């Protein structure tokens, strides 16, 4: 095993100092280890919508980077923080530090793959080495394949194969005490390299106002959420579909930015299953973690899904266009569709940057199959608003709803927003939280106010069209239009 005098660990979506593959291998193989994080303008610039844009993801990352920097300093090291184009900064910094190798954890999104290729080529041209490792998934893109060595396109057989392949070694933390043991390997860069961490304002983003994040930040926040979820895990299968309940883990943003370890999360689920204490809840949660890997595998093998349907026939569908489509889309974005569960879901994402998973399906189905809007419009909107946005999972979820993806729901299945509301928010608690103007309606009327008697609306002080909009479409009517729209799929050749 080759040893280096100096190495540089490039942190990206893995903002933690524990159970970290790249950091682990760099410490084992290097006499001196430097660390860097780059606020990449190639990623940040598209997020800016004007001067001092507030973006929850950027605020979350900024806080997590500050926490990681403090943690590395406590170990005798340092996290160098830069702002600029990462594909240029990382090779240049490696040269300035005299690092013989750059270590990083593998990223699977197309833009990141292209960026990493540029970095690898520049490092090679400079006579340096590029070392990448699996870290954000249990199994890499080619580790779970069919018997004919092809990627799975259906989840259930993928899950079975994934579970068959899983062994305790796959979940072993990468030497938990390694960082402490290798403290001496952390290099403290010369003062000239230790530039102050750029503020959000200096990068063109607004700081988070008190109470605006709605999420526990950093490594400590992820650990607290996992501990809290551990006590609720056994009920996850029964309660996860009810948005008014605190039944989910809330760890998706921490998985997205690596402030928790996927190995440890899966280990917690497996331990709960083996002990019997987690019940079906732990099994269901593990399935959700496997879905995440399934979609990452799909994106890797079929990068065209970023812009195209996984099933090519579905790109023949003619979606609504023009001013009317734009008006309907805006009503959906603003939570003004007249369907309370859909509007409450959109209020949640707009106000908090989070949306409950059941509501992601309901609101997405409404956009695609009630309004006839291209799923790509909704996918892009979620990408802008979700603090836990992950390209593979977001794309996979939208294509599942649109029936155009792998292992998607049948095209003729159309969620009824009223039925979904009555089933998963029976007392209207979630709706009342995000649509306080409907709070005085009774538990029956709140799901479909336009169907309520006039006296009930008057008593609740709800005037349709003033306090709350009338439905912008009639579900049963547009359902027939949807079936006609999707008929092209059956006739496609």
């Amino acid at each position: 095993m080759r040893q280096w005098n100096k190495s540089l660990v490039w942190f990206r979506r893995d903002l933690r100092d524990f159970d970290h593959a790249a950091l682990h291998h760099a410490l084992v193989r290097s006499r001196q280890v430097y660390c860097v994080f780059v606020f990449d303008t190639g990623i940040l610039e598209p997020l800016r919508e004007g001067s001092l844009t507030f973006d929850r993801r950027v605020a979350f990352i900024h806080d997590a980077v500050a926490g990681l920097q403090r943690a590395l300093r406590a170990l005798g090291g340092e996290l160098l923080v830069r702002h600029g184009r990462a594909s240029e900064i990382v090779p240049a910094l490696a040269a300035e530090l005299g690092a013989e190798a750059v270590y990083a954890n593998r990223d699977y999104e197309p833009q990141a793959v292209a960026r990493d290729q540029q970095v690898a080529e520049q490092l090679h041209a400079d006579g340096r080495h590029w070392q990448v490792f699996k870290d954000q998934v249990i199994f890499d893109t080619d580790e779970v394949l069919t018997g004919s060595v092809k990627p799975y396109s259906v989840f259930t057989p993928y899950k079975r194969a994934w579970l068959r392949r899983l062994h305790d070694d796959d979940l072993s933390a990468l030497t938990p005490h390694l960082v402490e043991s290798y403290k001496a390997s952390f290099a403290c860069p010369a003062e000239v390299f230790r530039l102050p961490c750029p503020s959000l304002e200096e990068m063109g983003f607004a700081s988070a106002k008190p109470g605006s994040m709605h999420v526990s930040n950093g490594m400590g926040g992820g650990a607290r959420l996992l501990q809290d979820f551990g006590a609720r895990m056994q009920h996850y299968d029964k309660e996860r579909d009810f948005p008014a309940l605190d039944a989910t883990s809330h760890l998706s943003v921490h998985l997205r930015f690596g402030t928790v370890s996927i190995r440890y999360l899966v280990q917690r689920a497996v331990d709960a299953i083996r002990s019997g204490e987690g019940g079906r809840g732990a099994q269901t949660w593990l399935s959700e973690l496997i879905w995440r890997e399934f979609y990452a595998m799909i994106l890797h093998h079929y990068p065209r899904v970023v812009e195209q349907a996984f099933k090519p026939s579905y790109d023949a569908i003619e979606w609504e266009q023009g001013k009317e489509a734009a008006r309907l889309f805006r009503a959906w974005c603003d939570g003004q569709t007249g369907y309370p569960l859909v509007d409450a879901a959109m209020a949640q994402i707009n106000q908090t940057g989070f949306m409950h998973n059941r509501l992601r399906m309901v609101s997405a189905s409404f956009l695609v199959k009630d309004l006839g809007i291209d799923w790509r419009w909704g996918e892009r909107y979620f990408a802008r608003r979700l603090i836990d946005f992950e390209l593979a999972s977001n794309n996979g979820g939208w294509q599942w709803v649109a029936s155009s993806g792998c292992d998607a729901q049948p095209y003729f299945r159309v969620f009824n927003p009223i039925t979904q509301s009555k089933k998963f928010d029976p007392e209207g608690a979630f709706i009342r939280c995000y649509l306080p103007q409907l709070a005085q309606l009774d538990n029956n009327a709140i799901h479909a106010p336009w169907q309520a008697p006039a006296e009930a609306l008057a008593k609740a002080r709800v005037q349709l069209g003033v306090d709350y909009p009338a439905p912008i479409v009639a579900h049963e009517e547009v359902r027939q239009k949807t079936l006609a729209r999707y008929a092209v799929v059956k006739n496609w050749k």
Side-chain angles (χ1 to χ4, degrees):
M1 181 183 293
R2 184 166 181 176
Q3 297 291 312
W4 316 106
N5 285 317
K6 296 180 180 180
S7 294
L8 176 63
V9 176
W10 178 15
F11 287 83
R12 292 102 72 84
R13 47 173 298 171
D14 42 21
L15 301 176
R16 65 185 187 278
D17 67 343
F18 59 91
D19 196 17
H20 187 289
L23 181 61
H24 165 93
H25 291 288
L27 286 170
V28 168
R29 297 179 59 184
S30 312
R31 292 186 177 89
Q32 288 186 299
V33 174
Y34 297 93
C35 302
V36 67
F37 177 85
V38 181
F39 284 100
D40 194 342
T41 52
I43 296 173
L44 296 182
E45 287 304 318
L47 301 180
R48 293 181 57 185
E49 298 175 338
S51 60
L52 295 185
T53 300
F54 174 58
D55 189 287
R56 289 184 177 85
R57 288 165 296 185
V58 181
F60 182 94
I61 294 169
H62 194 267
D63 184 84
V65 166
L68 177 60
Q69 189 175 58
R70 290 191 297 270
L72 291 176
R73 284 174 178 172
L75 292 166
E78 178 62 73
L79 179 67
L80 302 174
V81 182
R82 298 290 188 266
H83 177 224
R85 191 161 290 277
S87 57
E88 299 170 358
I89 288 176
V90 171
L93 181 61
E96 292 170 10
L97 293 169
E100 299 158 273
V102 172
Y103 281 71
N105 290 321
R106 191 172 290 113
D107 202 333
Y108 304 94
E109 297 185 359
Q111 182 181 358
V113 171
R115 175 203 62 201
D116 288 356
Q117 183 62 33
Q118 283 183 275
V119 171
E121 290 173 357
Q122 184 58 56
L123 290 171
H124 181 73
D126 294 343
R128 305 181 197 284
H129 297 264
W130 172 243
Q131 305 285 309
V132 288
F133 301 89
K134 175 181 65 175
D135 188 74
Q136 60 173 280
V137 293
I138 301 299
F139 295 122
D140 230 333
T141 51
D142 293 322
E143 289 187 302
V144 180
L145 298 172
T146 67
S148 55
V149 199
K150 293 180 179 179
Y152 284 93
S153 60
V154 178
F155 175 70
T156 299
Y158 172 84
K159 175 184 172 181
R160 292 196 192 104
W162 192 99
L163 290 171
R164 282 196 302 271
R165 198 188 191 290
L166 185 67
H167 297 287
D168 288 344
D169 289 347
D170 297 310
L171 306 181
S172 298
L174 293 166
T175 320
H177 304 296
L178 177 70
V179 173
E180 286 286 342
S181 303
Y182 280 76
K183 271 187 176 182
S185 296
F186 279 109
C188 210
E191 198 65 33
V192 66
F193 294 110
R194 300 172 71 169
L195 305 179
C197 178
S199 68
L200 286 168
E201 289 77 7
E202 288 171 333
M203 295 187 291
F205 293 89
S207 295
K209 296 178 181 178
S212 63
M213 288 299 290
H214 304 279
V215 66
S216 298
N217 283 8
M219 292 181 281
R224 287 190 297 273
L225 286 172
L226 180 57
Q227 182 177 15
D228 180 60
F229 179 63
R232 297 181 279 109
M233 189 190 301
Q234 62 181 319
H235 306 298
Y236 180 72
D237 60 315
K238 300 182 184 70
E239 298 181 349
R240 67 187 178 121
D241 281 322
F242 296 87
L245 300 179
D246 183 20
T248 61
S249 72
H250 304 290
L251 285 167
S252 54
V253 63
H254 291 278
L255 269 173
R256 173 65 179 89
F257 297 114
T259 46
V260 295
S261 158
I262 182 60
R263 286 176 289 277
Y264 188 59
L265 297 193
V266 173
Q267 184 69 68
R268 285 293 299 272
V270 170
D271 288 346
I273 293 169
R274 288 174 177 172
S275 69
E277 295 178 0
R280 293 187 60 84
Q283 296 177 26
T284 303
W285 189 50
L286 179 59
S287 288
E288 293 300 307
L289 296 174
I290 300 173
W291 267 107
R292 176 177 171 271
E293 302 214 352
F294 176 68
Y295 282 140
M297 179 271 299
I298 291 295
L299 178 63
H300 169 77
H301 287 284
Y302 306 97
R304 61 180 175 80
V305 298
V306 174
E307 293 295 338
Q308 301 172 3
F310 178 82
K311 302 172 184 173
S313 60
Y314 283 74
D315 278 331
I317 294 173
E318 293 186 11
W319 303 106
E320 296 295 325
Q321 298 290 337
K323 292 183 178 179
E324 179 62 7
R327 182 186 72 83
L328 294 173
F329 180 64
R330 178 44 52 191
W332 178 82
C333 293
D334 294 341
Q336 295 290 308
T337 69
Y339 287 84
L341 189 63
V342 174
D343 293 340
M346 298 309 294
Q348 183 181 43
I349 192 175
N350 290 333
Q351 293 174 25
T352 72
F354 172 79
M355 186 187 287
H356 187 277
N357 191 57
R358 166 58 57 174
L359 301 184
R360 297 187 195 202
M361 293 188 284
V362 173
S363 59
S365 178
F366 187 86
L367 181 72
V368 175
K369 293 185 175 178
D370 281 65
L371 302 185
I373 304 293
D374 191 334
W375 59 268
R376 283 162 276 242
W377 292 24
E379 182 199 29
R380 286 192 288 268
Y381 189 78
F382 274 23
R384 297 288 300 188
R385 292 289 181 265
L386 287 173
I387 190 172
D388 63 358
F389 166 68
E390 232 177 327
L391 176 57
S393 296
N394 192 49
N395 180 274
W398 274 94
Q399 293 222 41
W400 183 88
V401 166
S403 304
S404 61
C406 56
D407 201 11
Q409 65 170 343
Y411 75 87
F412 48 82
R413 185 183 181 194
V414 183
F415 282 124
N416 183 317
I418 304 173
T419 303
Q420 292 284 309
S421 186
K422 290 180 177 179
K423 183 175 182 180
F424 297 113
D425 192 28
E427 297 180 357
F430 180 82
I431 293 172
R432 288 185 175 89
C433 178
Y434 286 99
L435 301 179
Q437 65 270 41
L438 301 182
Q440 299 306 311
L441 288 171
D442 63 40
N443 291 352
N444 185 50
I446 199 168
H447 303 290
W450 68 95
Q451 295 178 356
E455 58 270 22
L457 292 175
K459 182 179 179 181
R461 298 180 181 178
V462 175
Q463 185 177 351
L464 293 180
V466 177
D467 304 299
Y468 185 70
I472 56 175
V473 293
H475 174 72
E476 289 305 322
E477 293 178 10
V478 294
R479 184 178 185 279
Q480 297 307 313
K481 290 181 64 176
T482 294
L483 296 179
R485 187 190 313 279
Y486 274 77
V488 67
V489 175
K490 297 187 294 184
N491 302 325
W492 189 85
K493 295 181 181 180

